[in-house]
Amino acid sequence: QAFAFFMATIGYSMTVRSGRQEFAPDIAILVPAHNEAHGIADCIASVDHAAETYDGHVKLYIVDNCSRDDTANVAKSALTQASHITGEVFYCGTPGKAVALNYGLDHISEEFVVRIDADTAIGDDCLHIAMNHFARPNVGAVGGLPLPAERTGVLNRIRLIEILLRHGFYQIALSGFGGVLGVPGMFAVYRRDAVTEAGGTTEGMNGEDTDLVLRITNLGYEAIVDPRAKYYSEVPDTYTHLREQRLRWFRSLYHIAAHNRSSLFNPRLITGSVVLPFMLVNAARRAMLAPLLLYALLVYLLFGALYTNLDIGPILAVMFGMPLCMSIAVLLLWRRVTALPTIPLYLVFRILRGYFTLASVLTLTFHGPQPESKPVSQPQQQQA
């Protein structure tokens, strides 16, 4: 963890330095939308506000992906009320977010593409901060900090701590040695040439957003996560929705590893030789969290009198010790003192998250050999 703090300091310094040069080309914003009539207007309004402080022209493309509600008409109405952007609505008749994204890419001409989920609202200076990084020609993808849209509610408060740890700290640490594996598709900016060279968005898999960024970085481009570019997305408000979301998220790691298996342990790729193997090992550790805790508690409760050397202290230390210390440290770094009382709930949530990780492994569907992403060409490989 001390190494993580050291690399996060370097990573944040590099990120700030990367975004110093002003750069404001014309951009296309691509929003795939399936039954999003309830929130698409808020998404469009947030883009319009962000475009007010952005010097380049912003055109918003809504890709209506087989919606059965009034998504298209709501989007058209919201676009007519926008003051700083232009836009249009496409219709993609084949279901699938990746399909809709590829459809949109085939129908736009801008050099830079911003992908935004329909339930996401971006901050007022989000575009300005993110686009400055593309003044450097080797930058292929840029992401930001995905904050909860609501400040109330237990899951929203827990999610805030999780985000600040994952995206506001560890992801920044990965930036310190060029190890950013992926950028969440809720808000991601791409250099179009890099996306084309990588083969577009992979269809029929979980984690297509991370997969695309991994293939882009494998081509020699750099991926950057700038926590100053803040955006706001919905957090599940029911257990069923939360479980569905987390199974999809955690399952995506195995999809990504399978689709990019030629990258694994490739000594020329920092993501393939270090980051992706570490994440697979970490996922296995997290999947065993709930079973091992249950086993330890059963042994302690049933056989505590038999084995006098059994002690609950080490169990609690392993489960909660370092996560508690890291949560406190990161919240203090982000000056989120009011979130400190939520840490006990977050520590309990980590056990539930471990259960979801185990469930994602046990529900994987295995197929025969599938085509993977193209191997990296030798001259362009990123040096570890």
Side-chain angles (χ1 to χ4, degrees), residues 71-148:
T71 294
N73 290 329
V74 172
K76 290 176 182 177
S77 175
L79 285 171
T80 60
Q81 299 174 33
S83 306
H84 308 284
I85 61 174
T86 59
E88 57 184 294
V89 178
F90 297 143
Y91 179 77
C92 175
T94 305
K97 182 177 287 187
V99 177
L101 289 167
N102 286 329
Y103 181 92
L105 284 170
D106 289 340
H107 290 78
I108 63 177
S109 58
E110 287 81 358
E111 185 180 354
F112 296 94
V113 181
V114 183
R115 169 187 168 175
I116 301 177
D117 279 357
D119 62 353
T120 297
I122 63 175
D124 290 347
D125 55 354
C126 199
L127 296 177
H128 174 258
I129 292 173
M131 291 306 303
N132 282 348
H133 294 284
F134 287 98
R136 298 166 53 221
N138 66 318
V139 173
V142 174
L145 186 67
L147 296 170

Side-chain angles (χ1 to χ4, degrees), residues 40 65 78 83 107 153 191 258 282 325 354 381:
I40 192 71
N65 188 213
S83 306
H107 290 78
R191 190 181 297 273
N282 191 50
C325 295
Q381 288 178 324

Side-chain angles (χ1 to χ4, degrees), residues 268-350:
R268 295 182 176 273
L269 302 171
I270 194 73
T271 50
S273 61
V274 177
V275 182
L276 190 53
F278 174 80
M279 291 187 68
L280 287 167
V281 172
N282 191 50
R285 176 198 60 79
R286 191 170 63 231
M288 294 307 298
L289 187 65
L292 285 176
L293 176 62
L294 179 62
Y295 175 76
L297 290 176
L298 285 175
V299 170
Y300 181 78
L301 294 174
L302 297 178
F303 304 104
L306 207 63
Y307 300 102
T308 56
N309 61 334
L310 288 181
D311 184 7
I312 195 67
I315 298 174
L316 296 176
V318 169
M319 298 300 302
F320 304 115
M322 185 56 71
L324 172 64
C325 295
M326 292 301 299
S327 301
I328 294 173
V330 171
L331 288 179
L332 291 177
L333 281 173
W334 275 96
R335 300 177 182 176
R336 297 280 184 152
V337 179
T338 56
L340 290 173
T342 309
I343 289 179
L345 293 175
Y346 167 72
L347 296 177
V348 174
F349 175 77
R350 289 181 71 252

Side-chain angles (χ1 to χ4, degrees), residues 42-102:
D42 292 336
C43 176
I44 295 173
S46 75
V47 173
D48 189 44
H49 291 150
E52 186 176 0
T53 59
Y54 183 72
D55 292 335
H57 179 256
V58 178
K59 187 164 184 178
L60 179 62
Y61 300 90
I62 305 294
V63 183
D64 181 8
N65 188 213
C66 305
S67 296
R68 294 185 298 274
D69 62 6
D70 208 24
T71 294
N73 290 329
V74 172
K76 290 176 182 177
S77 175
L79 285 171
T80 60
Q81 299 174 33
S83 306
H84 308 284
I85 61 174
T86 59
E88 57 184 294
V89 178
F90 297 143
Y91 179 77
C92 175
T94 305
K97 182 177 287 187
V99 177
L101 289 167
N102 286 329

